[in-house]
Amino acid sequence: MIAPGDTIDPHLESWVSVSPGSDFPIQNLPFGVFVRDGRARIGVAIGEQILDLSETADAGFLDDAGERELLQAPVLNPLLAAGTGTWRALRERLSALLRVGGDAALREVNVERFFCRQDEVEMRLPMEIGDYVDFYSSIEHATNLGRLFRPDAEALLPNWRWLPVGYHGRSSTVLIDGTPVRRPCGQRKAPSDTEPEFGASRRLDIELEVGFIEGPGNQLGRPIPVRDAAEHIFGLVLVNDWSARDIQAWEYQPLGPFLGKSFATTISPWIVTLDALEPFRVQGPVQDPQPLSYLRVDERWAYAISLAVDIRTQQMEERGISPQTISQTTFAGMYWNLAQQLAHATANGAVTRPGDLFASGTISGSEPGSQGSLIELTWNGERPIALADGENRRFLEDGDEVTLRGWCERRGARRIGFGAARGRVEPA
Ligand code: CA
């Protein structure tokens, strides 16, 4: 019997080879969906390998940790619906099978059947996403965007410090890492123009975000209180909420983002569970004014996740120049946290279902170079970013590839990471 919390012990080692600095040591064990022999399967990343849970369950190695059908589904939704008891039992079982000095059952059989290399398979979206919500929970980002979009008004609107502002995005255009992003067309109108015109966006941008995945969901009329949030949140992924600023600026009032956002949202393929992130839980920022009672949290609900945005232009790639990091920031400083976001999203009795995606909103810090979008980093294009090959960027050009990365490290814990969320811009 393995004690709870044992799976994050920094001294654990796997008998599967894990290189130093890997995002996926045995303390992580993130869940994803990959294609093998023409069939989508659930897997867990370990080092550079994937443990195929479909095969592992089929061989009977996971019978103590949930029904085989959950693990042989082509998506994670049935497992998400099963809840924290099943998730934790499965995680503990997987850790025992993969660790040095654990249960040797898997190691002693023909392991080729159970593993494949991450770089040899195609990843899929890990779950069917019924609903996708995007929040706006970084006070630095909301302040910067307020200044840029409404220069003559108060940067933060009066509701911002009272509730986690959000909008419903388009779940059917959530894309897995590596999917190309076509430059969108739409209506755009500069303030000086008398009429709008239709055409390809000239101000294509990224938004660096972290999203959480809903587990069991709730029933109509039954809000999820902040104290129950941990029973509902399966894990986190990186999210790039691609944004066409010219389309957005013209369309967004009075009902919020629409076609300037709905053309593409990229997520990283591996869902890092809350259990794996436990060593990196930290106290979030002080909230002033104190939130209304349904949004008050006592527990630490911020996560110290380091984040970076890399860009590689077509010319950089052709010249063999490495991707350049244009932003580095942390998730720890977000004003509104995951528990508050989920409690607020269901406070009116609205339904959430297994696999729903809730993204944080753009993550920006206050230091130069810590903003999660180009519109902030270049201050609406006024201060272009100089790239290593002599080019510069205000917004994205065709052929640019953007990579989001995320990882957690602190003394006394094993470093874990999220992998990447990549996308390359294709012409309109
Ligand atoms: Ca966003």
Side-chain angles (χ1 to χ4, degrees), residues 31-35 40-43 74-76 122-126 269:
F31 288 79
V33 166
F34 67 104
V35 180
R41 300 152 181 258
I42 297 171
V75 284
L76 283 166
E122 172 200 342
M123 298 300 293
R124 290 269 174 89
L125 279 179

Side-chain angles (χ1 to χ4, degrees), residues 132 134-136 141 167 207-209 239-243 245 257 261 359-362:
Y132 159 46
D134 194 15
F135 288 100
Y136 193 52
H141 174 71
Y167 71 96
E207 291 193 339
L208 167 65
E209 308 194 15
V239 179
N240 186 348
D241 178 27
W242 303 84
S243 300
R245 299 300 180 193
K261 301 279 194 175
S360 60
T362 308

